[in-house]
Amino acid sequence: MASLDVFHQDPFTAIQLTAAVERNPFIPTGLGELDLFEPEPIYTTALMVEQRAGTLALVPATPRGAPPSERTTELRQARYFEAPRLAIGDTIKASEIQNIRAFGQETEMMQVEAEVARRLSGPTGLQRRIEYTWEYHRLAAVQGKLLDASGVLFNWFSEFGITPPSAIAFNLAAGAGANPTAGVLRPLCNQVVRTMARASQGAFTSLTEVYALCGDTFWDELTNHIDVRQTFFNWAAAAELRKGNAFEAMKFGGINWFNYRGSDDATTIAVPSNTCIFFPRNAPGVFRVAWAPYESFDFVNTRGKPLYIQPIMDRDRKMWWRMECYSYPLHICTRPEVLLSGAA
């Protein structure tokens, strides 16, 4: 039992508590839950992407007895991309937990095992920070990039020699006034689906669906548009439209629409408020994530894993314990030509 001294001890030591409140940030996982990226553990530190562009051409009519037209074999291109390295560590010193009470407790002292678990896999621990970064990479990939905290690591459009398409103007605000314009949304949805399917060069199958991640303003104006409201008017879902539907989803015009919830600051991991991001799901080979191996002798030339945790002990003095988390993910879009965007 700890001895309490409410007059002389530091507020974070063993003093009486009436309540404990721990505020934990929201960790976006929307794209991760879609299982959009095909996992590909690799034995090396780089991923090779081989490309072969095939085309169909009309066969010209030739006179009988003349030589047939010759088929031209497609050229192949191979590119190598190095998997980025995510690494973060934390050191717990014995002096940090000496005389410190456990969070939310009046008399129980902090234990090193509980603190190690909190810093490793707690809401703001090392593992959660790696997962937070994975979602950041996923959101960048569906926009044709690989972004890092310091900038752009890869632009998949430029890497594959493709010009990014212009954003499709939905003009939603014009349809939200006193005289809304009816019948304009479905043709735009059809345009998105057709453009994406034609650009996929065989990546679309009968199971492929088009998804849209919407910023807040885009979502609000979309769900308030007369075309959407009339579609759901006689459905049970109309009740949801009347209640409000922040961070919800709906299917309209052959597209699965989501109001994407990113990071709490609505900036670090976010879809810009008045825009929308279109991408295909269940399109084989379009999105992949390569996991490269950890940089130690134990894992040299082995299949990569999503996460590696390395414990380090002060074996001589036992004055500290250190944890390090490593991940080597490469989130890549191999067909950036299928990626589209919209503006409210």
Side-chain angles (χ1 to χ4, degrees):
M1 178 76 64
S3 175
L4 305 181
D5 184 348
V6 298
F7 297 104
H8 300 99
Q9 293 195 37
D10 184 89
F12 291 101
T13 58
I15 63 173
Q16 183 176 3
L17 295 175
T18 57
V21 178
E22 187 170 11
R23 293 180 174 86
N24 298 315
F26 175 75
I27 297 184
T29 58
L31 285 169
E33 292 171 358
L34 288 178
D35 289 329
L36 192 64
F37 292 82
E38 300 174 27
E40 185 172 344
I42 57 178
Y43 293 89
T44 59
T45 61
L47 173 70
M48 182 186 76
V49 177
E50 191 172 28
Q51 185 180 26
R52 181 169 61 188
T55 59
L56 291 176
L58 296 176
V59 178
T62 55
R64 291 178 180 270
S69 300
E70 289 293 320
R71 177 186 178 276
T72 303
T73 300
E74 302 89 351
L75 297 178
R76 296 190 301 176
Q77 292 179 314
R79 294 176 175 85
Y80 287 85
F81 302 105
E82 192 79 16
R85 174 183 186 259
L86 306 179
I88 185 171
D90 192 2
T91 302
I92 300 176
K93 298 178 181 178
S95 58
E96 292 182 75
I97 62 174
Q98 178 65 44
N99 299 332
I100 305 298
R101 60 163 178 80
F103 183 83
Q105 302 295 321
E106 294 183 9
T107 58
E108 181 180 343
M109 305 306 292
M110 183 179 291
Q111 300 298 318
V112 64
E113 294 87 353
E115 184 64 4
V116 166
R118 186 188 73 85
R119 295 196 190 188
L120 176 62
S121 56
T124 58
L126 303 182
Q127 184 175 343
R128 294 294 178 265
R129 296 192 182 198
I130 294 288
E131 293 171 353
Y132 185 77
T133 307
W134 288 347
E135 184 73 2
Y136 183 70
H137 286 189
R138 295 185 196 109
L139 183 59
V142 298
Q143 300 175 79
K145 299 177 182 178
L146 177 58
L147 297 179
D148 182 62
S150 58
V152 179
L153 296 180
F154 295 110
N155 184 317
W156 303 122
F157 286 101
S158 58
E159 292 290 344
F160 294 107
I162 297 168
T163 302
S166 300
I168 300 172
F170 276 76
N171 297 320
L172 296 174
N179 298 307
T181 304
V184 298
L185 284 186
R186 288 188 183 276
L188 289 172
C189 294
N190 292 339
Q191 177 186 342
V192 170
V193 176
R194 290 177 182 134
T195 301
M196 193 177 294
R198 286 169 175 159
S200 69
Q201 298 184 17
F204 267 44
T205 70
S206 59
L207 299 177
T208 303
E209 294 183 280
V210 177
Y211 277 67
L213 300 184
C214 304
D216 294 346
T217 300
F218 191 103
W219 175 259
D220 292 344
E221 294 180 354
L222 174 70
T223 54
N224 194 49
H225 194 278
I226 186 172
D227 287 356
V228 176
R229 299 185 70 85
Q230 286 180 344
T231 298
F232 290 96
F233 183 76
N234 292 321
W235 292 14
E240 292 300 319
L241 291 178
R242 289 192 293 269
K243 287 192 306 183
N245 50 4
F247 302 131
E248 294 292 336
M250 70 172 182
K251 188 163 187 176
F252 173 83
I255 297 175
N256 298 282
W257 304 84
F258 285 81
N259 181 202
Y260 182 72
R261 182 179 179 184
S263 54
D264 288 336
D265 62 4
T267 301
T268 305
I269 302 178
V271 176
S273 186
N274 63 342
T275 63
C276 181
I277 300 168
F278 298 101
F279 58 89
R281 186 189 182 200
N282 293 328
V286 172
F287 295 106
R288 297 159 66 185
V289 54
W291 303 107
Y294 178 49
E295 54 198 278
S296 76
F297 286 115
D298 293 336
F299 296 95
V300 167
N301 296 327
T302 62
R303 289 167 62 91
K305 299 179 180 180
L307 191 67
Y308 295 89
I309 300 174
Q310 177 65 55
I312 304 172
M313 290 185 60
D314 179 7
R315 299 183 182 277
D316 297 328
R317 297 171 297 171
K318 297 183 179 180
M319 296 176 63
W320 51 262
W321 169 282
R322 180 169 174 80
M323 302 166 290
E324 294 179 347
C325 280
Y326 294 84
S327 182
Y328 306 83
L330 178 61
H331 291 85
I332 184 171
C333 176
T334 62
R335 304 280 185 88
E337 59 268 33
V338 304
L339 305 179
L340 302 172
S341 62

